[in-house]
Amino acid sequence: MEKMIITVAPTGAQTTRQHTPHVPLSPKEIADSIYKSWQAGAAIGHVHVRDRDGNNSLDLDIYKEVIDRVKSKCDIILNLTTAGGLKMSDEDRLRVCELNPEMATFDAGTMNFGKDVFYNTPNFLEKLAAEMQSRHIKPEIEIFDVGMIHNTLRIAKKELIHEPYHFQFVLGVPGGMPATPKNLMYLTESIPAGSTWSAIGASKDQLTINTMSILLGGHVRVGMEDSVYFKKGELAESNAQFVERIVDLSNTLNREIATPDEARAMLKIPRNSNMGVK
Ligand code: ZN
């Protein structure tokens, strides 16, 4: 099996200090958490940012502070969210591309998300795909339900997304596919040959989906965006703690961990020297 890429998602859009006192929220806290996760073995850091009050934000200056802080310390790949939450405007979401990240998220369809709706209209997705393609940003295609794979392939037919595709299967979100082995298998069998994939299990399903991904040859995402609990009833103290556990588990199961440069080669990400430049 090829080496395994670990993504850390330290903050997300839903996790608050009410859920855990350990979630990083300020640019410095987020950057430090990504750096410590890189030391533990993460190759990709998935970045959400917050304003001073802890609210979701797509402010480019806040992103830039995180990017600069991380890039001054390590070579981890940064994958910026283009969602930022469920209520952001299409214009603000598209503007994230101006930071020229190596990767950014591409949420491949509209869905119910808990009590809200996560809008990703066909028109918006085509604009986002075109913007990412023109800037050579690698899309992390987030798949919450199988129809979203086909949304992506329809956009690919218009030559707005090109192979090799990298999918992130997000299982266990209320409104998306439940986190079951059968669903994960179905998704892995539904993507074009030559694609790479990673998977997320939300909340209590994080570790089980992570373990299946290790065994099936996929890649893994962990972090407080997906779950704040290290074990039932026990909060994780840091994001690096989740990464360390995956590295231990992968060693036990004979799966080697990819460095950021190995991950760039595997995902065919060109090194983006304009990163963070507006
Ligand atoms: Zn995210």
Side-chain angles (χ1 to χ4, degrees):
M1 269 187 210
E2 66 178 355
K3 291 191 180 182
M4 192 178 82
I5 301 165
I6 302 175
T7 295
V8 66
T11 305
Q14 313 274 335
T15 309
T16 67
R17 285 272 153 81
Q18 275 71 53
H19 297 117
T20 173
H22 306 297
V23 63
L25 297 181
S26 73
K28 183 178 185 312
E29 289 168 351
I30 294 168
D32 286 349
S33 188
I34 290 174
Y35 175 63
K36 287 187 182 132
S37 298
W38 169 81
Q39 287 180 311
I44 301 175
H46 169 59
V47 182
H48 285 246
V49 294
R50 306 286 180 93
D51 66 17
R52 282 171 196 274
D53 300 320
N55 300 312
N56 289 323
S57 175
L58 290 171
D59 186 302
L60 298 193
D61 289 331
I62 306 176
Y63 267 123
K64 195 159 181 328
E65 186 180 344
V66 174
I67 293 166
D68 290 345
R69 284 179 179 276
V70 173
K71 287 285 157 186
S72 70
K73 291 172 97 171
C74 67
D75 69 341
I76 195 167
I77 298 164
L78 289 180
N79 166 6
L80 306 186
T81 178
T82 61
L86 300 176
K87 305 212 162 119
M88 301 301 190
S89 73
D90 288 358
E91 292 72 27
D92 286 346
R93 295 180 63 185
L94 287 165
R95 209 169 291 129
V96 174
C97 298
E98 292 176 19
L99 291 166
N100 295 310
E102 289 186 282
M103 290 182 94
T105 56
F106 182 88
D107 295 286
T110 297
M111 62 183 289
N112 289 348
F113 197 113
K115 289 181 178 165
D116 285 304
V117 178
F118 186 18
Y119 285 100
N120 292 284
T121 64
N123 182 39
F124 169 71
L125 289 179
E126 287 188 16
K127 279 189 200 163
L128 181 61
E131 187 69 18
M132 290 173 78
Q133 189 173 59
S134 74
R135 293 173 179 273
H136 308 289
I137 300 167
K138 176 83 178 185
E140 183 196 68
I141 305 164
E142 296 204 337
I143 300 295
F144 295 76
D145 213 327
V146 72
M148 294 189 187
I149 294 172
H150 302 283
N151 285 343
T152 304
L153 297 179
R154 275 193 293 275
I155 293 168
K157 261 196 185 147
K158 298 185 176 181
E159 301 192 346
L160 296 172
I161 297 181
H162 56 82
E163 295 179 282
Y165 310 116
H166 180 63
F167 294 96
Q168 182 73 268
F169 301 134
V170 189
L171 296 164
V173 170
M177 286 173 98
T180 65
K182 202 170 175 179
N183 284 343
L184 181 61
M185 295 296 296
Y186 181 44
L187 289 169
T188 63
E189 289 162 4
S190 300
I191 56 178
S195 304
T196 48
W197 64 270
S198 174
I200 297 164
S203 188
K204 65 176 175 38
D205 298 309
Q206 179 167 247
L207 185 58
T208 43
I209 292 294
N210 288 164
T211 308
M212 285 193 63
S213 300
I214 297 170
L215 294 169
L216 290 171
H219 305 288
V220 163
R221 183 174 107 173
V222 293
M224 294 187 195
E225 174 163 352
D226 305 331
S227 175
V228 296
Y229 289 102
F230 193 69
K231 290 180 186 156
K232 191 172 182 190
E234 181 187 322
L235 291 172
E237 288 178 7
S238 70
N239 282 288
Q241 192 185 1
F242 286 123
V243 177
E244 284 159 12
R245 175 165 64 185
I246 292 302
V247 171
D248 285 346
L249 196 52
S250 302
N251 286 337
T252 304
L253 297 170
N254 285 321
R255 190 91 193 272
E256 285 184 75
I257 304 299
T259 65
D261 272 345
E262 287 168 342
R264 285 183 180 94
M266 289 157 69
L267 300 176
K268 308 268 190 303
I269 298 178
R271 259 237 193 222
N272 194 339
S273 57
N274 292 324
M275 175 85 186
V277 177
K278 276 196 271 175

